[in-house]
Amino acid sequence: DSIIGVTTMVANMATAGAMVYLMYKLSKQKEVLPSPGVPQWPAYAGDAYGGRASDKFVRQTTPLETLGDQAFLEAKVHRTGSTEAQVVFKGAGGQSKDVIIKDSPEAIAAMKVVFKKLCTSSREMLSAEDVRKVHNLLGEPLFESDIPAMLEFFHAEQATDLVVTFDMFMSWWSQLHDSSADPDGYYSQERYRQRFKVLQSRLKDPNIARIDCFPEGEETSRRYRIRFVHDGQPLSPWHDVPLKNPDGSYNFICECKKFEIATGEPFNPIKQDVKNGVLREYKWGDMLFNYGAFPQTWEDPKVISEETGCPGDNDPIDVIELGTRQRPTGSITRVKIVGLIAMIDSDETDWKILAIALDDDRAPNIQDLADLDAHMPGSTAALTHWLRMYKTAEGKGENKFGFSGKPQGAAVATRIVEE
């Protein structure tokens, strides 16, 4: 029995020793093997970049078929786990050099959705005129002096020639927004990249997407008008553009300067305000905001407002858009209501709805008047002062306000608009 007991003990010790040795070998092997999903690092990677372990990386190139045959995602994966990625269009637009885009594939995919939405044929090509529309939709209108250079870039004889492929468009866009012309890094910021996503969302509504505007007459004359069309047919920005969108946002029609919707003219174009035969201009310093109106609204001159004690001014409700980007006259922008200033102009109620564009970088953080003052300190006080004083530059008295001069929040403003 003693012999058997000794033998059993030795066997158990041997088994335990083997298990300890096996666990030791496995732990050493685990230190050598790479983790799942992490590329194995060649011994030479990073040697040409200083030889330090933290500098080692591998390059990965992945075709992006959804963006076209010439689009690739080039990634530099560092041993530390960090990744640097960029989208490259090989020989974009028939050029010898590649076009490098710093945006994410998702952001560029949104750009391609916009591109395809604007295509009028199955060839997936745009004209230079279509590219001009893209600039207008994004609030970057091109000057007439820019058109010849754009035609030359796209090798187009006429502005209506369908010659612009998506990679050519990306090449053009990259040239306009390269880092050398962007010392503040504006075009690399998330705010700028989100603009195509917002435009993509807007294009989901075919009625809004197909609305365009064009100038008529000399800009400094009383005959100057900005007219609206929908699929080539005349359209009224006041009556035909919807007030609200399916997502609950509102459509802001930008007038800017001393312009207004001509409520008494056919199809209600935008024109410059005239008094005593003279074109009117704001003379009280620079405007602090984008100015315009909500479509399908009207301040009834036969209804006395309980809040102001005055009748309406017989115009669409005015809107002050407080975003950080200047909007072109005639543009239609999705906004959300954040407040209201109850101005009284010549004993008439002249509501000023405060709103912010959905594509503004501050929009996610501003839902109401308190948020506006928190993220844009002093803005409501500055606006109220500007609205109170701007007519004094014309020799007139100060404007008055309802609610004892106190701006109101989003709930009151929304109720006024809905009424």
Side-chain angles (χ1 to χ4, degrees), residues 195-224:
R195 292 165 63 194
F196 267 98
K197 294 183 181 180
V198 174
L199 179 55
Q200 176 187 358
S201 174
R202 175 188 170 187
L203 290 174
K204 290 180 181 178
D205 185 341
N207 294 321
I208 297 296
R210 295 199 298 266
I211 295 175
D212 198 8
C213 61
F214 63 92
E216 179 183 273
E218 294 293 329
E219 186 171 0
T220 56
S221 74
R222 293 169 53 187
R223 297 181 179 179
Y224 181 74

Side-chain angles (χ1 to χ4, degrees), residues 155-185:
H155 307 291
E157 295 183 2
Q158 303 292 331
T160 55
D161 293 343
L162 295 176
V163 296
V164 184
T165 60
F166 181 65
D167 62 289
M168 291 175 68
F169 173 76
M170 292 306 302
S171 179
W172 163 261
W173 197 258
S174 176
Q175 175 180 284
L176 291 184
H177 305 98
D178 65 1
S179 59
S180 63
D182 186 27
D184 298 326

Side-chain angles (χ1 to χ4, degrees), residues 1-16:
D1 290 341
S2 62
I3 295 175
I4 294 174
V6 171
T7 304
T8 301
M9 182 180 66
V10 171
N12 289 338
M13 292 179 62
T15 301

Side-chain angles (χ1 to χ4, degrees), residues 337-400:
I337 295 173
V338 298
L340 167 148
I341 295 176
M343 194 176 90
I344 300 173
D345 182 2
S346 301
D347 294 325
E348 293 179 334
T349 300
D350 192 4
W351 303 113
K352 305 298 181 185
I353 302 297
L354 308 182
I356 189 165
L358 295 189
D359 61 351
D360 193 87
D361 60 336
R362 294 172 177 165
N365 299 319
I366 298 178
Q367 312 299 333
D368 209 331
L369 203 62
D371 301 324
L372 181 63
D373 287 331
H375 292 276
M376 302 174 67
S379 57
T380 54
L383 280 171
T384 304
H385 178 73
W386 194 94
L387 292 170
R388 185 188 303 277
M389 303 299 297
Y390 79 93
K391 285 194 173 182
T392 61
E394 303 173 11
K396 300 179 181 179
E398 297 179 6
N399 286 320
K400 301 176 182 179

Side-chain angles (χ1 to χ4, degrees), residues 58-77 83-90 98-109:
V58 293
R59 297 184 185 276
Q60 296 177 342
T61 302
T62 307
L64 297 173
E65 297 179 357
T66 57
L67 299 181
D69 296 337
Q70 296 171 294
F72 296 86
L73 177 66
E74 290 188 352
K76 183 189 291 185
V77 185
T83 302
E84 299 175 36
Q86 60 189 18
V87 176
V88 179
F89 286 84
K90 302 288 186 180
D98 299 337
V99 173
I100 298 174
I101 309 294
K102 298 293 185 180
D103 290 328
S104 66
E106 292 78 14
I108 299 177

